[in-house]
Structures are given as C-alpha cells and as structure tokens.
Amino acid sequence: MSSSHTRRRPTHRKGRPTLTRESVGRAALDFLGRYGPAELTMRSLAAELGVSPRALYNYVEDRHDLITVAAEIFESDWRSPRLDPERWRDGLRAFCRELRAHYRRHPGMTTLAYSENITMARHPVMLRNVDALIGLFAQIGLPLQDAYRACMETIRLVAGFVELQDSLHDRPPAHVAPGDLDRLPPPWLRGSPEDLPYLTQAGALEPDSPDTLFDFAVDILVSGIAARLPG
C-alpha cells in the first residue's frame, strides 16, 4: 500500500481529541502551569481531559512517568539563542532572557523534576543547549571546569530567580497582599529601625521591577565571569 493510502489515526473521536503519549505529557505540562504540582494526579488530569483515569495508563505508566514525559517536552521546547564567543556578553544576556521566559511559561517544572527525582528526562535539545553554553565559556578562555561551573551557575541563577521572584509576581499567593510585593524592604525583612539602619533606609528607595532585578543579577554574573578570564 502506498504512503498516500496509509491509514492515519484520527485526531478526534466523538468530539474529543485522541490521546498520544506526547499529548498527555503536554496536557500535564499545561496543568502544572495552571494548578501547580500538588494538584497533578492521574485522576485530576483525566478529569481535565474528559477521559477516565484508566485511559491515561495506555500512554504513561504512572504519575512519575507522566511527569517524565512533561519534563522531556519542557526541555524540547527550550530555544537557545546563537552563542558567539566574539559577542559573548550579549549572547549570555540573551541566553538568560530566553531561559527565564521559558521557565516562566512552565512555572514549577524544574523544581518538580528535582523533587520527584525525574532523572531520565534528558532531551537532546536540552543537552545541546547546555553543551553550547559550556562551549561558549571554554571558547572565551575559561578552563573547562570553570566553564562547566559557569554554565551551572547561569542556569541556577535563572531558575532561582523565576522560582523565588517571578513566581510571586506572575501568580501571587493568596496570603500575600499585592502591594507588599513591590515594597522595600518586603514584610519579612522589616524590624526595629534602631537595629536595622540600612534596611530602614531602603524603605525610601524606589522599588525595582522584576525585570530590573533580573538585569542586575545577570550583569553581576557577566562581570564575575569576565573577571575570571585570562589576561
């Protein structure tokens, strides 16, 4: 039979999209972004998709396997800018901006993968991106061990910023008053003016936006790497 007559699986049945391993993983990734990891179960995702929990087990073995598929898709969607050693500062800043935007589109995925010990999610796209960043640092003169360290520190900086700073602004917790997010210092860093003179003075400063804080953090990263270059 020719390829033009090969039977294709229908994309919908009875008005509902048919499931595949990838579509179930993408549904889980979307679910995580809207509801958070604590709410993700096979039963809750099945209800979201309008199918029985048993139907999901045709595509994933269990919740751990489900999160693994979601993590692989998360990694495959990571788009890294071209890294040029001649313009490494601009390239590193662009890399950080793109990685931050990717993490913000899928909040909580990184920490969930660590907490659930999802060690098998190693998509080739993610591996190539990490390898390219190590390569950038090596090509500008860092010893390989420092190049690896700089790569890991870059990823930790971005992931930590998204989890600890952006997440509060993108999805404010119910117990946090919106006005407190921009106040200096934040409520958890306030005390007696006599004991905390510099924190007290910081209360008169103009609050920084998350973008300003992120650019400041990346500037420190870039300056620190530049300071370790030979010559």
Side-chain angles (χ1 to χ4, degrees):
M1 183 181 290
S2 68
S3 59
S4 62
H5 292 89
T6 299
R7 186 175 180 179
R8 295 183 179 179
R9 183 175 182 176
T11 59
H12 288 73
R13 286 197 181 120
K14 297 181 180 179
R16 293 177 181 170
T18 55
L19 299 180
T20 64
R21 185 170 170 84
E22 180 179 356
S23 69
V24 169
R26 286 199 176 276
L29 193 60
D30 179 65
F31 187 99
L32 286 167
R34 287 185 288 127
Y35 302 112
E39 301 299 322
L40 178 62
T41 65
M42 299 292 280
R43 184 174 297 278
S44 63
L45 183 62
E48 185 81 1
L49 291 172
V51 300
S52 69
R54 182 178 298 178
L56 296 184
Y57 287 98
N58 293 320
Y59 306 95
V60 293
E61 296 178 4
D62 50 26
R63 182 177 182 273
H64 186 272
D65 189 34
L66 175 66
I67 297 172
T68 299
V69 179
E72 290 172 347
I73 294 170
F74 169 78
E75 293 171 356
S76 72
D77 287 344
W78 175 13
R79 295 292 175 260
S80 171
R82 180 175 176 272
L83 298 173
D84 181 358
E86 297 298 321
R87 298 174 54 83
W88 72 267
R89 292 173 177 81
D90 292 340
L92 179 56
R93 289 188 175 93
F95 184 98
C96 290
R97 288 194 300 269
E98 291 298 323
L99 186 56
R100 179 192 180 201
H102 179 58
Y103 284 155
R104 291 177 77 184
R105 285 191 290 270
H106 306 292
M109 185 67 249
T110 302
T111 52
L112 177 64
Y114 277 113
S115 65
E116 298 279 343
N117 193 28
I118 307 298
T119 58
M120 296 307 295
R122 296 188 295 269
H123 196 278
V125 170
M126 180 273 290
L127 296 175
R128 285 194 295 269
N129 288 340
V130 172
D131 188 75
L133 186 58
I134 296 172
L136 173 71
F137 293 136
Q139 290 168 47
I140 64 176
L142 288 181
L144 182 58
Q145 187 159 27
D146 278 356
Y148 175 81
R149 290 166 175 165
C151 172
M152 294 300 105
E153 194 58 35
T154 299
I155 295 171
R156 278 192 292 268
L157 182 153
V158 177
F161 189 92
V162 171
E163 292 296 322
L164 298 175
Q165 184 69 39
D166 282 327
S167 62
L168 290 176
H169 283 77
D170 293 343
R171 293 168 179 79
H175 64 277
V176 175
D180 281 339
L181 292 176
D182 297 320
R183 292 177 63 187
L184 292 178
W188 50 91
L189 286 179
R190 296 177 196 156
S192 169
E194 293 77 16
D195 296 336
L196 305 169
Y198 293 103
L199 279 173
T200 300
Q201 293 176 54
L205 299 175
E206 286 293 322
D208 287 320
S209 69
D211 289 347
T212 299
L213 290 173
F214 184 75
D215 289 343
F216 181 81
V218 173
D219 283 345
I220 290 176
L221 174 70
V222 171
S223 298
I225 292 169
R228 299 186 72 89
L229 296 179

